[in-house]
Amino acid sequence: FMLEISLDRLLSYADLNKKFMRLPVFPGISRDLSLILKEGGLAGDILKAVKEKGGPLLAEAKLIDCYKGRQIPSGFKGLTISCLYRSDERTLTEEEVAPIHSGISSLLMERFQAQIR
């Protein structure tokens, strides 16, 4: 076999600018939400709603589990969302995080008819 590669053309598509993110100085607080939802609910819509409601202190929200099984009623699915709260200016307290996390739970129950597990 023989191969010829034009590095000039190949490198024209590469982004050679280095991007760095500063490591967090203050620790975060992690909380999980375990939900039961109707099968039609899209995880992407739920994550988008969580991120909007979480505001600036919600550094990350991600789906960590999707479950269908004998503990979940037929026509429903179980989702677990992990939320990481962090500030660049200070260490957050439970008193700051709890109302935000509770608000996210309430939003999911109202908008998506979710049940908290």
Side-chain angles (χ1 to χ4, degrees):
F1 294 98
M2 199 166 137
L3 177 69
E4 183 176 321
I5 297 177
S6 172
L7 289 178
D8 291 333
R9 290 181 79 188
L10 184 64
L11 291 175
S12 70
Y13 295 104
D15 182 9
L16 301 176
N17 294 324
K18 295 182 181 180
K19 297 176 184 134
F20 295 98
M21 287 180 52
R22 187 174 64 109
L23 291 175
V25 176
F26 300 101
I29 296 177
S30 181
R31 297 283 181 268
D32 291 345
L33 279 169
S34 291
L35 313 166
I36 296 177
L37 299 158
K38 290 184 180 179
E39 291 235 9
L42 298 175
D45 294 340
I46 293 166
L47 285 174
K48 182 178 177 185
V50 167
K51 289 175 183 176
E52 288 172 1
K53 183 69 175 178
L57 295 182
L58 180 64
E60 181 180 18
K62 62 184 176 182
L63 180 66
I64 58 172
D65 188 33
C66 182
Y67 177 75
K68 294 180 192 174
R70 59 185 161 105
Q71 295 140 338
I72 306 294
S74 179
F76 291 84
K77 62 184 172 185
L79 295 180
T80 302
I81 298 170
S82 179
C83 299
L84 176 65
Y85 300 94
R86 179 180 289 135
S87 171
D88 291 335
E89 295 144 13
R90 67 191 184 292
T91 300
L92 297 176
T93 64
E94 180 63 28
E95 290 77 24
E96 292 173 294
V97 171
I100 298 169
H101 197 70
S102 178
I104 290 171
S105 297
S106 297
L107 172 77
L108 296 177
M109 288 188 289
E110 291 171 16
R111 188 181 298 177
F112 299 99
Q113 290 77 46
Q115 299 172 25
I116 304 298
R117 288 179 47 179

